[in-house]
Amino acid sequence: MICDNITKTKNRIATVCLKVKRDPAAIQLLAVTKNRSIEEIQGVISAGITDLGENRVQEALLKYQSIKGVKWHMVGHLQMNKVRDAVKVFEMIQSVDSLRLAREINKEALKLNKIQDVLFEVKISPELTKFGINIEGLPEIIEEVAKLNNLNICGLMSIAPIADSAEYARPYFRKLRELRDKVNKSWILSIGMSDDFEVAIEEGSDMVRIGRAIFD
Ligand SMILES: *Cc1c(COP(=O)(O)O)cnc(C)c1O
């Protein structure tokens, strides 16, 4: 079933790419494995998935012990006291939402002699999503974080507001893409989940984070 779901998801990605003339190979498919079992995760890996997203450090640590050869992405809110473990496990931390957190990640990465890939989590709809950096505050944070030698800023991540229709997310995604284009065109955009990934790809997503469409 997981295998079928992945095939279906990839077909949907291919279909929307054809529509907007994008290369499907350029869209990274991240399987979000929070609350999923080791067996389920092994299922997605057998189906060719190489990148996994988790939103709790503790859970990721446990899974990391038994699942090797994949890249782990932190997609949930990261607490200061979990940074040390997070830097050990995650190839990419997508949820950098404050300068304070960025500095802590940098400090722990330095101890491990690691250059930590990170994304800034942006709050594109202040009234509707909880975590993330306000768009107005982003330039200043980017400037400060750029000075941290053990962080590699790779782009922006965002969660669309919950809505009945994926179309509702479109203007938010578009706004984020415009912001990315203004700041750094080569940065990646991590946007799009099970309910809205097609719209996200149309609006320029480079990485979709899919949970339910793969596992349910
Ligand atoms: C759970 C989660 C996802 C996946 O959501 P689905 O709707 O199950 O596809 C993506 N990104 C983040 C940050 C998540 O917490």
Side-chain angles (χ1 to χ4, degrees):
M1 191 196 70
I2 285 174
C3 200
D4 279 355
N5 287 348
I6 289 174
T7 305
K8 277 183 204 148
T9 304
K10 284 186 174 165
N11 286 341
R12 285 171 64 186
I13 292 172
T15 303
V16 67
C17 280
L18 195 65
K19 186 175 148 196
V20 293
K21 300 190 169 59
R22 296 191 62 194
D23 175 10
I27 314 287
Q28 213 179 337
L29 172 57
L30 188 77
V32 178
T33 51
K34 59 169 185 251
N35 305 322
R36 309 294 173 180
S37 68
I38 300 289
E39 290 69 33
E40 285 175 296
I41 298 173
Q42 276 157 350
V44 298
I45 294 169
S46 321
I49 296 286
T50 55
D51 290 72
L52 307 178
E54 283 284 335
N55 70 348
R56 274 194 250 112
V57 177
Q58 245 27 58
E59 188 177 334
L61 260 180
L62 286 173
K63 291 172 174 172
Y64 174 77
Q65 314 294 338
S66 41
I67 296 169
K68 300 288 174 195
V70 289
K71 292 183 185 170
W72 296 88
H73 297 247
M74 175 60 174
V75 299
H77 179 64
L78 179 55
Q79 291 168 307
M80 297 291 280
N81 62 353
K82 299 279 165 49
V83 168
R84 179 169 303 175
D85 284 333
V87 170
K88 283 183 204 147
V89 175
F90 295 107
E91 196 102 0
M92 182 179 273
I93 297 175
Q94 302 204 0
S95 47
V96 174
D97 59 3
S98 72
L99 180 55
R100 200 167 149 251
L101 179 63
R103 286 187 172 138
E104 187 67 17
I105 296 169
N106 185 64
K107 195 177 92 189
E108 293 300 332
L110 177 64
K111 285 185 198 163
L112 295 183
N113 199 17
K114 176 185 186 184
I115 305 295
Q116 177 69 57
D117 285 347
V118 296
L119 303 181
F120 289 112
E121 180 172 357
V122 179
K123 197 192 275 197
I124 34 175
S125 60
E127 67 287 4
L128 299 167
T129 44
K130 206 160 147 200
F131 297 111
I133 301 163
N134 288 323
I135 290 180
E136 307 76 55
L138 194 63
E140 197 189 321
I141 291 190
I142 290 172
E143 203 186 313
E144 288 304 312
V145 174
K147 297 175 191 162
L148 304 174
N149 291 329
N150 286 69
L151 296 190
N152 177 33
I153 309 172
C154 303
L156 305 177
M157 183 272 263
S158 197
I159 301 171
I162 295 164
D164 298 334
S165 144
E167 278 305 320
Y168 186 81
R170 189 184 298 279
Y172 295 100
F173 289 153
R174 188 166 294 175
K175 201 167 155 190
L176 192 74
R177 190 230 178 106
E178 287 166 1
L179 182 70
R180 188 277 312 267
D181 289 350
K182 215 163 58 182
V183 178
N184 190 331
K185 275 205 161 70
S186 66
W187 278 7
I188 66 160
L189 275 183
S190 170
I191 45 173
M193 305 177 16
S194 293
D195 289 334
D196 55 23
F197 70 88
E198 282 142 320
V199 170
I201 291 169
E202 286 175 4
E203 296 302 328
S205 175
D206 303 294
M207 186 188 281
V208 292
R209 311 180 308 267
I210 313 286
R212 288 166 302 133
I214 290 176
F215 292 104
D216 288 350

